[in-house]
Amino acid sequence: MSSDVAALKAEILRLTREYSRLTHAANRPGNDPAHARFTPGETTVPYAGRVFDEDEVEAAVSSTLDFWLTLGPEGEAMERELAEFMGVKHCLLVNSGSSANLVAFSALTTHKLPPHKRIRPGDEVITVAAGFPTTVAPIIQAGAVPVFIDALPLTGNADCSLLEAAFSPGRTKAVMMAHALGNPFELATVLEFCQRHDLWLIEDNCDALGCTYTLPLERAQALGLDHLIKIATKEEHPIIRIHPAEEEKEARYLTAPTGSFGDISTQSFYPPHHLTMGEGGAVNIIRRAPLKTYAESFRDWGRDCWCASGKDDTCNKRFKWQLGELPEGYDHKYIYSHIGFNLKPLDTQAAIGRVQIRRLPEFIEARKRNWERLRRGLHGLEEYLDFALPTHATGWNPPAAHAPEEPPVSHFTWDASGCRTDCSWFGFKITLREDAPFTRTELAAHLDEKKIGNRMLFGGNLVRQPAFVQLRHDDPAAMRVSGELPGADRIMKHTLFLGTYPGLTVEMIDYMIQVIRDFVSARSGK
Ligand SMILES: Cc1ncc(COP(=O)(O)O)c(C=O)c1O
């Protein structure tokens, strides 16, 4: 690039930053002094959204000016950076979280796996009834059978005591479920179940980037979590570590991010999620390197060749392969070993994502801080509202029980499993108690009127969604419900969630608290 052209680009980027600063004040982090002013009742309090400043806009414009367009240098760098953060072998960028789930699941259907591990049409995959539809859709799209178990309204996650009853010898091949709203599911129990029956575990980590799970080191060793233990032993990773517990100095525990425990996991980078590329997602290959080649093939048209965009002959035998019934020497670039898709994002999206990764530690902390501020502010309403608990927690302690801190930290009591979760919450989940003097719809409508963003727990009980009712009608064998689903029904009828995203200001959170307290007080007469 000549110096004139470089100077021109620098000037465009300087103006870009200026433009972004002047136009996007409402999208800055909530604790940024330059965040747009909040006027209660007038400014909408979103439940989530893009959080960025001029750095992301500059990265997008710079990459657009370079005009590589297809997944290229920024994509490669982001895949590397994300894999490092997650402590996984590889990350593959895709164009959405739903695509990530599709690619992750498809990878396990490849003929390149040993027959007993390959997921075939008619095989069963255990999942949870409450959640987002595209956690389940890839199972059906591959002709496999989702087997739904119930969810626990307090955590939003699967009731793992139901796993064994859902298992069909010879048919169950995998467990695929999400860490609901940034609350890790019971990983130790699920992993033990998968180990016992030689099943794949696909973690839908779309709502949970940066959440962590802790388990006793001995249990981690018995589960063969050597890939995490190895990283922790180096004592270099910011999250993955071996440590004592506060209350029990002798014992050792392993802590690692959700999405790094199973076989494959997925991320969404749609704007409400922990980081954004606009549309986007990732498949994390946790420990078995060959799964990368299979996933990449399904992502990239089903091709056998693994050369990155713009590169040729990485294998050094581009014209020396003979596969299928093709003639010897047929160009490897055009040999297809799978019935695939094309689900790649643009390099410009990765340029934005890379800036977001740098912000991730602050984003993760902001979500925890915002959850705790809401929880403290709504303390006292437990008579009518059940507030979410992190998996393995048995209770939340109000601040009076401990010294005040800044930033506020959540204090929970825990079950006896030795396992702990640390949630970077996707949302603040509230479930109305049976005897609340108002309905979830009334509360949601009131919040809407007061311009406070709120959402249901996605599809509620998925099996009651029209698509699944139709599926059962068309082919009763296409899905199976194991046991009853009262928890998922309760979530469907009585749960909503508020925002915890890093764009919320303290004033917004305090306004949310006041509106809910006033509403409950007016309805209950207390
Ligand atoms: C648990 C879960 N999985 C998958 C997805 C799909 O992600 P995307 O919207 O990027 O397709 C979502 C979306 O919010 C989700 O919550």
Side-chain angles (χ1 to χ4, degrees):
M1 195 187 283
S2 76
S3 60
D4 281 359
V5 175
L8 183 59
K9 184 174 180 187
E11 180 61 3
I12 292 169
L13 296 182
R14 187 187 67 75
L15 289 168
T16 297
R17 293 183 70 85
E18 182 66 9
Y19 176 85
S20 174
R21 199 178 56 75
L22 292 172
T23 51
H24 298 306
N27 298 98
R28 302 182 88 87
N31 60 358
D32 184 331
H35 190 284
R37 262 179 59 85
F38 169 65
T39 312
E42 275 181 32
T43 322
T44 297
V45 181
Y47 90 93
R50 301 157 295 158
V51 181
F52 63 92
D53 68 15
E54 43 276 20
D55 290 348
E56 279 86 347
V57 182
E58 177 184 350
V61 171
S62 174
S63 161
T64 304
L65 290 173
D66 295 348
F67 225 60
W68 181 283
L69 292 186
T70 56
L71 204 54
E74 296 286 350
E76 264 177 49
M78 184 170 171
E79 286 177 345
R80 236 183 2 259
E81 288 159 4
L82 202 58
E84 226 161 83
F85 175 86
M86 294 291 296
V88 298
K89 270 216 148 33
H90 300 287
C91 282
L92 285 177
L93 289 179
V94 289
N95 61 5
S96 74
S98 303
S99 298
N101 282 341
L102 182 59
V103 167
F105 191 82
S106 299
L108 303 179
T109 67
T110 176
H111 57 278
K112 299 190 178 194
L113 286 167
H116 72 286
K117 293 300 286 176
R118 180 183 180 193
I119 303 179
R120 304 296 310 266
D123 284 341
E124 291 191 347
V125 178
I126 298 174
T127 188
V128 65
F132 199 80
T134 55
T135 309
V136 179
I139 305 171
I140 299 162
Q141 284 153 344
V145 177
V147 176
F148 292 97
I149 61 170
D150 202 14
L152 298 166
L154 219 47
T155 62
N157 282 314
D159 179 347
C160 289
S161 67
L162 304 172
L163 284 170
E164 245 357 293
F167 176 74
S168 304
R171 280 192 81 189
T172 309
K173 288 282 176 65
V175 174
M176 181 167 185
M177 50 196 189
H179 299 290
L181 289 187
N183 194 0
F185 57 73
E186 267 182 62
L187 271 161
T189 310
V190 175
L191 284 165
E192 277 156 6
F193 173 74
C194 288
Q195 187 183 50
R196 197 155 54 244
H197 299 295
D198 193 16
L199 308 176
W200 298 108
L201 174 59
I202 308 155
E203 291 175 70
D204 179 335
N205 201 42
C206 286
D207 298 343
L209 182 59
C211 299
T212 63
Y213 191 86
T214 299
L215 75 171
L217 183 58
E218 268 184 18
R219 221 166 150 185
Q221 284 161 336
L223 280 167
L225 297 175
D226 302 347
H227 62 296
L228 295 174
I229 294 169
K230 199 164 138 200
I231 297 173
T233 307
K234 287 189 192 150
E235 297 186 5
E236 286 166 3
H237 197 278
I239 301 175
I240 303 171
R241 54 198 188 89
I242 293 169
H243 55 93
E246 272 168 33
E247 66 277 20
E248 204 190 337
K249 299 275 180 248
E250 295 306 301
R252 286 280 175 282
Y253 292 82
L254 172 71
T255 292
T258 55
S260 70
F261 286 81
D263 296 290
I264 300 199
S265 67
T266 58
Q267 302 300 152
S268 166
F269 302 135
Y270 191 64
H273 295 255
H274 288 61
L275 68 83
T276 192
M277 311 162 59
E279 297 284 359
V283 178
N284 306 310
I285 309 301
I286 297 175
R287 44 185 148 171
R288 291 179 182 80
L291 291 181
K292 179 194 180 227
T293 318
Y294 314 150
E296 201 166 31
S297 173
F298 277 100
R299 182 191 68 173
D300 302 352
W301 306 280
R303 67 182 181 159
D304 202 72
C305 165
W306 54 86
C307 289
S309 158
K311 293 206 178 107
D312 291 337
D313 208 16
T314 315
C315 63
N316 274 327
K317 47 184 216 173
R318 179 173 166 192
F319 298 110
K320 294 187 187 133
W321 291 87
Q322 196 286 308
L323 293 170
E325 296 174 4
L326 294 168
E328 183 153 0
Y330 198 82
D331 188 348
H332 194 217
K333 259 189 159 350
Y334 291 101
I335 295 182
Y336 302 95
S337 46
H338 296 108
I339 308 298
F341 313 100
N342 177 6
L343 302 171
K344 294 188 296 299
L346 301 176
D347 215 39
T348 300
Q349 290 169 272
I352 300 167
R354 291 186 67 201
V355 181
Q356 292 263 298
I357 288 181
R358 297 208 297 268
R359 296 189 197 279
L360 198 48
E362 170 50 26
F363 281 175
I364 290 166
E365 288 312 309
R367 286 177 179 273
K368 294 179 190 176
R369 231 174 23 239
N370 293 344
W371 189 92
E372 180 61 17
R373 192 173 184 93
L374 277 165
R375 185 65 189 83
R376 290 184 185 191
L378 296 174
H379 178 44
L381 304 185
E382 289 82 357
E383 189 180 346
Y384 306 115
L385 305 174
D386 279 338
F387 300 106
L389 274 180
T391 295
H392 294 299
T394 51
W396 170 85
N397 297 321
H402 50 76
E405 334 91 340
E406 198 49 51
V409 176
S410 300
H411 293 263
F412 298 103
T413 45
W414 299 97
D415 65 22
S417 64
C419 302
R420 301 274 191 280
T421 52
D422 191 5
C423 304
S424 175
W425 298 95
F426 186 88
F428 188 89
K429 189 166 74 63
I430 299 173
T431 302
L432 269 62
R433 296 183 72 102
E434 300 289 355
D435 49 0
F438 47 88
T439 65
R440 191 260 316 266
T441 307
E442 285 166 347
L443 175 59
H446 183 73
L447 292 169
D448 253 16
E449 197 184 302
K450 297 288 182 186
K451 294 188 186 286
I452 296 174
N454 63 91
R455 289 289 184 273
M456 313 274 137
L457 206 163
F458 309 126
N461 183 347
L462 291 176
V463 307
R464 297 195 189 277
Q465 287 282 346
F468 290 84
V469 172
Q470 188 64 41
L471 182 71
R472 264 198 323 271
H473 174 80
D474 292 345
D475 177 7
M479 56 182 267
R480 187 160 78 79
V481 175
S482 178
E484 306 289 314
L485 303 173
D489 278 342
R490 185 157 157 65
I491 289 169
M492 175 182 67
K493 288 186 192 144
H494 301 297
T495 296
L496 58 71
F497 73 88
L498 308 168
T500 51
Y501 86 111
L504 294 175
T505 64
V506 162
E507 292 77 20
M508 288 174 175
I509 296 174
D510 290 347
Y511 171 69
M512 290 155 84
I513 293 167
Q514 197 54 52
V515 166
I516 294 172
R517 294 198 79 92
D518 289 348
F519 176 79
V520 174
S521 167
R523 292 305 182 104
S524 65
K526 287 188 190 166

